Amino acid sequence: MLIKYEFEVRASAKFLFDLTQDYDLRAKWDPLTTEAFLVNATVAAQGELVRCTASNGLSMDTVYVAYKPNEVAAVKLVKGPYLFDKFAGGWQFKELSPGKTRVRFSYNVSTKPRWLSWLLTPVVGFQFKRETKKRISALTKYAEAHYEAGA
């Protein structure tokens, strides 16, 4: 199931990219994530492993498949909750003008067991959509408050 959201934020692409990829700040603005960190590195980059724990207590390990500062960060599932068969996510940032950026969140989720995926994937997708809307709202609010304060 493909889940996509596109929205605009009054902040620069660099500020938003740095904010979303800074794992020390992530739990401050992201209601879906209680903990996130790089497993074997100090700097995010393509090929690096990230562990995220959600507010429901479930954890997943993802690996960066794309990492282009100020533009795109994309990951795919390496290890996670049994329920996920596949998971991939990407965040894209396109600066429209100074201090205004279009952000696109894209997620692709499928569940297992495969014979029950036709039922479980839409349920998990619905929940993920709901949580993503909260994440977008929180990111926008946090970014705009802190960007304006620091700009």
Side-chain angles (χ1 to χ4, degrees), residues 76-92:
K76 72 174 182 177
L77 182 68
V78 175
K79 177 183 170 189
Y82 173 78
L83 188 60
F84 286 120
D85 181 40
K86 294 179 184 170
F87 172 86
W91 296 1
Q92 294 177 303

Side-chain angles (χ1 to χ4, degrees), residues 131-144:
E131 294 298 327
T132 300
K133 287 179 185 178
K134 291 178 191 175
R135 174 181 270 168
I136 290 167
S137 177
L139 172 61
T140 301
K141 184 177 179 180
Y142 188 95
E144 290 180 350

